[in-house]
Amino acid sequence: MKYDEALQRAGSYGNYQKFLICLLAIPAIFNATTTQVLNFIVGNHLHRCKYLITNDSAYYDIENANNTFSLYINNTNQCVITTNGTETACTEWIYDKTVYQSTLISKFDIVCDDRFMRSNVLLAYFLGQMFSAFTYGLISDIWGRKPVIITGVIVLFVSNVISRWMSNVYLVCVCQFFNSVGGVYHYVVSFILAAELVGPDKRIMASFILYIAYCIGEYILLVEAYFVRRWENLMLVISIPIAVCFFTFPYFVESPRWLFMKGRNKQAIEILQKAAKYNQISVDFTAETIVVKKEETISITTGIKTMMKSRQMLFRSLILILNWMAVNLIYYGISLNIGDLAGNVYINYAISSTAETIAVIFCFFSDKFPRKRLFCSSMIIGGCSCLCTLFTSTFGGNSLQWLTIMLAMVGKLCVSTAFFLIYVITAEIFPTIIRATAFSFCDMGGRIGSISSSYIGKLGVLVDTRFGQALPLIIFGSVGTLAGLLAIFLPETGKTKLPDTVQEAIHTVRESKHSSPINSKPCEENETML
């Protein structure tokens, strides 16, 4: 029998798989807190120049006497002090403590001429994503899924714990780089491992559990950030609990599918037998029971070369890379720039998290719909809603700020749906031997989008007009709509078995609703299919 049949006999979604996926979901909670915390530690912190007057050689600030905060007082504004008609750039600032007690902005004075250093902090985070996207696929395809996940959790813990003691913003950027590396290593590879542990009809469920855990983490962060408003303390509050994940490491297992591909049949069979035992199923596998085709054990390099020789697979790969870029651009462009939207940052963040949660719950039922059609619709509708902010910002002004926020949140809801689906679709299009590597290439395209979002999200600072306020969302919407239209050319992969060989991947087709995913056969060699 082949692996999928063996998995079915051992229980493709029994208690064993449920237990393992719940373990994988625990680090996903902390991936959310350590990612979304950037909204609060580099949030939009109101400030103005510190105005000093002389009194018996002692200096004090007007604000201390009045115990109030104003952006403009005694010929000062956010960046300039005016004295006898002469403007002088200030070197000290007063920060509003109504929303934040302290942030990276106030600690390192990332304001005025240095205001784009905030984007550099985000850039460091996204460069970490780019680095990890380049490495996690190759590492997990060569050494396995389990070591990469464990390494990611450890790096996530260490980088966040030490960041609050960094003495300058550049060291904080280094910590954010490794924070991102750790997050991607454990989060993305967990999706791959979960998809390989369950049967075709339960991939959505497995992905749902991981993503809903991420949403839970967002709500946990909302509570933590609301009550802990000093960034140093907030970093400790979100990072120390990550240590809980260390106690789950002994229970992690390697992907049996990957073990078979590497010829480590004995270890794979032990895991399947253990799964059958916990699923209360009586089976007896031997090394000769499960057949692995010679083609399935080719090297990663050979697999990539073979796939790239196929115009169909090359075309699909390029479309997926573009869509990963668009999804990341919109998702991070909205998620990590919540503070730039009008209104209260905590309320906006709560609305954003709720939109994402609704999208994930909706995706739980996505197996009832054609996978590709749902993905394309999400990208196009989300892109169009972002484009519509052009009209509310340009012609409505402050009176329609609430509508601009709602349109942005519709975009967030739709792109969250697409984010959920693109992981599943990518796993279903590429074969096992290079699945993680293909994920890595697609993810690198996504990181180009996330890196771009850190600067595109700040275009409103450069273009200080009504149109400028909507410009980031207009760019997000345009890219998302284009990517969604191109995704129409991808194959429908819903409820098909995961391809193990390159030929199976090339001939991925949608099965009829009555066909068995285990017994499905690839289409004929002469069929042409996008």
Side-chain angles (χ1 to χ4, degrees), residues 483-503:
L485 291 172
L486 287 174
I488 294 172
F489 296 101
L490 291 173
E492 176 56 62
T493 60
K495 296 187 179 180
T496 60
K497 80 178 191 69
L498 285 181
D500 287 323
T501 69
V502 174
Q503 286 303 314

Side-chain angles (χ1 to χ4, degrees), residues 327-526:
V327 166
N328 279 268
L329 174 67
I330 303 171
Y331 179 83
Y332 287 108
I334 295 176
S335 297
L336 296 186
N337 288 285
I338 291 295
D340 293 333
L341 296 175
N344 183 283
V345 62
Y346 297 100
I347 294 176
N348 289 345
Y349 179 78
I351 295 172
S352 174
S353 299
T354 302
E356 187 165 0
T357 304
I358 292 172
V360 176
I361 294 173
F362 173 72
C363 285
F364 178 72
F365 303 98
S366 63
D367 262 352
K368 300 182 183 297
F369 306 96
R371 193 103 78 219
K372 181 181 73 173
R373 188 178 302 174
L374 183 58
F375 176 79
C376 294
S377 300
S378 299
M379 291 296 291
I380 294 171
I381 294 173
C384 290
S385 66
C386 290
L387 285 171
C388 288
T389 59
L390 168 65
F391 304 104
T392 58
S393 297
T394 304
F395 303 109
N398 294 334
S399 62
L400 291 181
Q401 280 184 345
W402 65 271
L403 185 54
T404 300
I405 294 174
M406 293 309 298
L407 287 170
M409 292 305 106
V410 170
K412 173 70 181 293
L413 186 152
C414 291
V415 79
S416 297
T417 303
F419 220 141
F420 180 97
L421 292 172
I422 200 167
Y423 278 93
V424 181
I425 292 172
T426 304
E428 292 172 335
I429 283 181
F430 293 105
T432 301
I433 190 65
I434 63 164
R435 183 169 296 118
T437 304
F439 251 99
S440 182
F441 279 113
C442 292
D443 207 2
M444 279 191 286
R447 301 319 165 189
I448 294 174
S450 55
I451 289 172
S452 302
S453 72
S454 60
Y455 291 95
I456 292 175
K458 287 299 176 184
L459 285 178
V461 177
L462 294 177
V463 186
D464 191 14
T465 62
R466 289 184 179 181
F467 174 79
Q469 293 175 358
L471 184 57
L473 288 170
I474 293 170
I475 296 175
F476 298 157
S478 301
V479 175
T481 303
L482 174 62
L485 291 172
L486 287 174
I488 294 172
F489 296 101
L490 291 173
E492 176 56 62
T493 60
K495 296 187 179 180
T496 60
K497 80 178 191 69
L498 285 181
D500 287 323
T501 69
V502 174
Q503 286 303 314
E504 287 176 357
I506 291 174
H507 296 298
T508 296
V509 295
R510 183 186 182 185
E511 297 175 330
S512 66
K513 65 176 72 176
H514 302 294
S515 65
S516 168
I518 300 303
N519 298 323
S520 61
K521 298 180 180 179
C523 62
E524 296 298 324
E525 286 291 327
N526 57 358

Side-chain angles (χ1 to χ4, degrees), residues 28-29 32-33 209 211-222 357:
I29 295 173
T33 58
I209 293 173
Y211 207 158
I212 203 68
Y214 185 93
C215 294
I216 291 171
E218 289 184 317
Y219 285 109
I220 292 173
L221 174 64
L222 176 62
T357 304

Side-chain angles (χ1 to χ4, degrees), residues 52-61:
L52 300 174
I53 60 176
T54 305
N55 182 16
D56 296 329
S57 300
Y59 290 90
Y60 62 92
D61 187 83

Side-chain angles (χ1 to χ4, degrees), residues 138 299-309 434 437 441 502:
L138 290 171
S299 68
I300 296 172
T301 305
T302 304
I304 294 174
K305 288 180 178 178
T306 303
M307 289 192 61
M308 292 303 101
K309 288 178 181 178
I434 63 164
T437 304
F441 279 113
V502 174

